[in-house]
Amino acid sequence: MSDNKRFEGINKSHTACWIALACLVVPMFASYFFDDMFSTLSHIFQHPEMLQLGWNSADYGFYAGGYSFLCVCGGLVICGILLDVFGVRTVGSIFVGLMIAGAAIVFTALLSGLSPDMALTIAYIGCMLFGLGSEIAGVAVTRSIAKWFKGRNVALAMGLQLAIARLGTATAFILSPVLVAEKPAGEIYTLAETARPAMAGLAMLLAGGILWAVFVAMDARFDKDAGIVNAKGKVKEEDRFRFSDIIKVLVNPRFLMIAFLCVFFYCCIISFKKFGTSIVIPRFGMDVDSAKWMITMIPFFTVVFTPLFGALVDKVGKATTWMITGAVLVLASHLIMAFAPQGTAFYGFLAISLLGIGYSLVPSAMWPTVPKIIPEKNLGTAFSLIYWIQNMGMLLVPVFVGRIFKEMITEAGNTAQEINAAVHAEFIFIGLGIAAVAVAAALICSSKRHPELEIDRPNRK
């Protein structure tokens, strides 16, 4: 059998779809690892005198917010449009490379030995580049899955991608405290020790870049076999992106509801994870190791439940019901973390369990809904606009939470101050949770008024 025959019809091959998915998930796994590499180490920034790096909690919050700076300043929207204009393969490859370059800059800054302010500035620049690259790479991955699995198990595929990506978060939660072992009072964390998680993340990103290149070759063949390109390799006229399409996306009320649900919901979880140990340790009287495993439950729950819920969405539909259920669970989780009896670990585990289940439910239904309301040729723009709105929250929330810990904890080891700071931080997440539930309820009403969109219909045809 010739090579041409062997690869003919790759767009119809189930095996090729799953191989492509395998190539797409590794860069996202690495991205999630790098983004969350300090999440279960956040408590060490409460004691900058123990860090050769010299950062405090506000510095860490500032660094964490850098992920979203370029995204919010318009980079995400512009690059998402470029993704639709020039295609996933070209633009996606550029931003996978930018993600790797940004991570390398962060790693270099942590090892530089410069003053804390200068190292923070360089790391912030690296985090900005990494964040923009990571978000556009995420858009490219989501858009690619929507194309490769159209009419198939798209929610399951997206759920698997999310689950494996969040396994990167779980790996960071577990591995980072091993790489940066807890030190007794009076000892200093060296620059090399602090930078170890970044070194591990950079190695994973390089491996993800190699697999992305494999996917690019497969995707070129997909377009040819599916007839998306003509004999000269050009995109057909009906599939071309037009800038007027941006307005159509922005005035779509269902799109706006999903975008706002995304920002409120994800900030309840992603921003919380940045300070997870700083909240659960004082609130539930836990040691660092127990707190690490408690926070790690979040991604582990999603690894199990996101593909399961995705398969259910494919089979039975009811996407808006899944969304509001997940939003309610996340709100309940933060209410427990704020108001449960002090020092009782059971309530901490209960809250994190609810958070993990909610974190699985909403994305399983939300992301596969976007291709139902937006044409495929505009998905890059649509997803990037959603991520842009989401990143506004991800830019600001860590800064506010970091300032709460800095301003309310004025004496090292003062448990009462740490508890008070944790509760006040939770008030932010409760407000976001209430907003997420309200938007999800509005989306249910909209779906009922417009049954022709089939938002709540099963995905499998």
Side-chain angles (χ1 to χ4, degrees), residues 221-442:
R221 185 72 196 196
F222 182 102
D223 284 358
K224 183 177 180 181
D225 290 347
I228 296 174
V229 296
N230 59 27
K232 294 182 179 180
K234 302 294 184 180
V235 177
K236 291 182 177 180
E237 183 64 28
E238 62 269 23
D239 292 319
R240 287 185 181 276
F241 172 85
R242 294 175 176 82
F243 283 95
S244 60
D245 294 335
I246 301 172
I247 303 301
K248 295 178 182 178
V249 172
L250 287 173
V251 298
N252 186 321
R254 266 69 57 188
F255 168 80
L256 292 174
M257 290 177 196
I258 289 175
F260 284 115
L261 173 61
C262 184
V263 64
F264 296 138
F265 176 80
Y266 272 93
C267 284
C268 283
I269 299 169
I270 294 176
S271 298
F272 166 78
K273 288 188 298 179
K274 302 292 184 186
F275 297 90
T277 54
S278 297
I279 292 173
V280 301
I281 287 174
R283 275 293 287 122
F284 302 112
M286 309 185 74
D287 57 38
V288 173
D289 194 54
S290 298
K292 172 192 73 176
W293 286 107
M294 178 182 285
I295 300 300
T296 304
M297 288 171 58
I298 299 172
F300 274 131
F301 265 79
T302 64
V303 169
V304 174
F305 289 110
T306 304
L308 173 62
F309 293 144
L312 288 174
V313 171
D314 282 328
K315 185 175 181 180
V316 303
K318 305 295 183 183
T320 56
T321 301
W322 296 115
M323 289 186 226
I324 195 168
T325 302
V328 168
L329 289 176
V330 168
L331 174 59
S333 169
H334 285 296
L335 288 169
I336 292 171
M337 279 189 271
F339 300 113
Q342 173 63 34
T344 306
F346 167 79
Y347 292 106
F349 284 106
L350 174 61
I352 295 299
S353 298
L354 295 176
L355 196 69
I357 296 172
Y359 195 22
S360 304
L361 275 168
V362 174
S364 298
M366 181 174 64
W367 295 120
T369 298
V370 178
K372 291 184 175 182
I373 61 175
I374 301 294
E376 184 176 324
K377 65 178 180 177
N378 303 131
L379 282 179
T381 300
F383 282 123
S384 65
L385 285 168
I386 292 173
Y387 288 0
W388 176 55
I389 296 171
Q390 173 188 326
N391 273 272
M392 290 183 186
M394 290 170 61
L395 173 67
L396 296 174
V397 173
V399 174
F400 287 124
V401 175
R403 287 190 176 277
I404 286 173
F405 282 101
K406 180 186 178 183
E407 294 174 3
M408 300 191 72
I409 302 175
T410 59
E411 181 183 346
N414 188 318
T415 302
Q417 289 182 349
E418 292 176 356
I419 293 171
N420 196 30
V423 172
H424 277 76
E426 277 300 319
F427 290 160
I428 293 178
F429 298 123
I430 290 170
L432 292 167
I434 292 171
V437 171
V439 175

Side-chain angles (χ1 to χ4, degrees), residues 164-177:
I164 296 172
R166 291 171 184 172
L167 189 58
T169 292
T171 304
F173 286 176
I174 296 171
L175 185 59
S176 291

Side-chain angles (χ1 to χ4, degrees), residues 123-155:
Y124 190 82
I125 292 171
C127 193
M128 287 192 303
L129 297 175
F130 167 78
L132 182 60
S134 179
E135 290 295 295
I136 295 298
V139 173
V141 166
T142 306
R143 193 185 191 284
S144 298
I145 292 173
K147 180 176 81 172
W148 279 71
F149 285 86
K150 185 177 181 179
R152 298 174 179 172
N153 301 84
V154 64

Side-chain angles (χ1 to χ4, degrees), residues 24-65:
L24 291 170
V25 299
V26 176
M28 292 297 96
F29 174 96
S31 169
Y32 275 57
F33 178 95
F34 197 90
D35 185 38
D36 283 309
M37 62 184 176
F38 285 134
S39 293
T40 45
L41 298 172
S42 62
H43 57 282
I44 69 175
F45 296 104
Q46 295 177 12
H47 309 288
E49 71 280 358
M50 294 180 62
L51 290 168
Q52 188 179 352
L53 185 63
W55 293 1
N56 57 35
S57 291
D59 294 330
Y60 169 61
F62 178 74
Y63 160 79

Side-chain angles (χ1 to χ4, degrees), residues 108-130:
T108 302
L110 294 174
L111 278 178
S112 66
L114 297 171
S115 66
D117 288 343
M118 183 59 69
L120 179 60
T121 300
I122 296 173
Y124 190 82
I125 292 171
C127 193
M128 287 192 303
L129 297 175
F130 167 78

